[in-house]
Amino acid sequence: MNSILSFIQKHKYEFLLFALVQHLFIGIFITDLPSYTQVIWPINMIILGLASIGLFFEKGKLKNRVRNVLLVMVVLLPVFLPLFGKNEGYMFALNLIFSGFFIFIFWEILKFLLRPSYINADVISASACGYMLLIEINTFLFQLCSYGHPDSFKGLNTADPASTYMDFVYFCSITITSIGFGDITPNTHHTKLITSLFGIIGQFYTVVLVGIIISKFSSKPAQS
């Protein structure tokens, strides 16, 4: 058991990056959306929850307790999605908790990126994790807006939770990369401003990240 935990700790950022990518983009390989909601998403969240554990080894008790509470909720909530997927209160709570969970992880990633004065595989993986987490956070924040105000976005597929989630992953991805095809658009002043802020944060993260990586390269030789 100790060897497994040690392995997870050593490769925690790689595991988290894999978990985030599969959570966001596994829909590429899914054609049966009901099965995605009933089977794939709960499994995804278990993988993501386990991958996040490595970030909190040797952290304070309070932080681990908060992590554990959020982890239990994000793992259990998708299990009831087939039953309560059309319940607005349930979907609001789910998206709120998921947003908090991903913000919590993003904060830990950000603190790590600012700490070391070297560049290695962990820094590169953590940088990519931060980018994926920005997409995750805003996907669930936008879903909060959508479930609270169904007219928040135009061009959104709201036939089922899986379609809505995948549309928001797509929308957030093309927004943060400044592509912006325009097939899905914010429709209220709230979502327009949130989208604008998200785009600014995404660009700011990229610029700051490039600066951090360059400074780490120039300050010390690369370490493995």
Side-chain angles (χ1 to χ4, degrees), residues 48-179:
L48 191 53
L50 292 174
S52 70
I53 290 174
L55 298 181
F56 298 94
F57 285 141
E58 300 177 358
K59 300 289 183 179
K61 289 184 178 180
L62 178 60
K63 187 170 290 186
N64 275 290
R65 285 173 184 167
V66 173
R67 188 280 316 274
N68 290 338
V69 171
L70 288 172
L71 180 59
V72 169
M73 288 192 288
V74 299
V75 169
L76 289 181
L77 279 172
V79 174
F80 301 100
L81 199 56
L83 296 175
F84 303 108
K86 295 187 180 298
N87 184 288
E88 290 185 3
Y90 170 82
M91 294 305 297
F92 186 88
L94 183 146
N95 285 286
L96 183 63
I97 290 167
F98 273 51
S99 299
F101 176 70
F102 288 120
I103 289 170
F104 191 57
I105 297 175
F106 180 74
W107 180 246
E108 291 300 314
I109 292 287
L110 205 56
K111 288 195 295 184
F112 167 74
L113 289 174
L114 295 172
R115 194 181 309 130
S117 58
Y118 54 84
I119 187 79
N120 63 4
D122 279 350
V123 173
I124 299 298
S125 298
S127 302
C129 285
Y131 204 74
M132 295 298 115
L133 283 164
L134 283 175
I135 297 175
E136 292 274 21
I137 291 166
N138 284 276
T139 293
F140 287 101
L141 287 177
F142 284 140
Q143 286 192 136
L144 269 177
C145 296
S146 179
Y147 285 110
H149 301 279
D151 62 341
S152 295
F153 288 86
K154 288 182 179 178
L156 194 67
N157 185 347
T158 57
D160 54 80
S163 297
T164 304
Y165 171 74
M166 291 180 190
D167 270 9
F168 273 124
V169 170
Y170 161 74
F171 174 72
C172 290
S173 299
I174 63 173
T175 299
I176 199 172
T177 54
S178 301
I179 298 173

Side-chain angles (χ1 to χ4, degrees), residues 15 30 67 101 131 181 214:
F15 284 154
I30 303 296
R67 188 280 316 274
F101 176 70
Y131 204 74
F181 291 116
I214 290 174

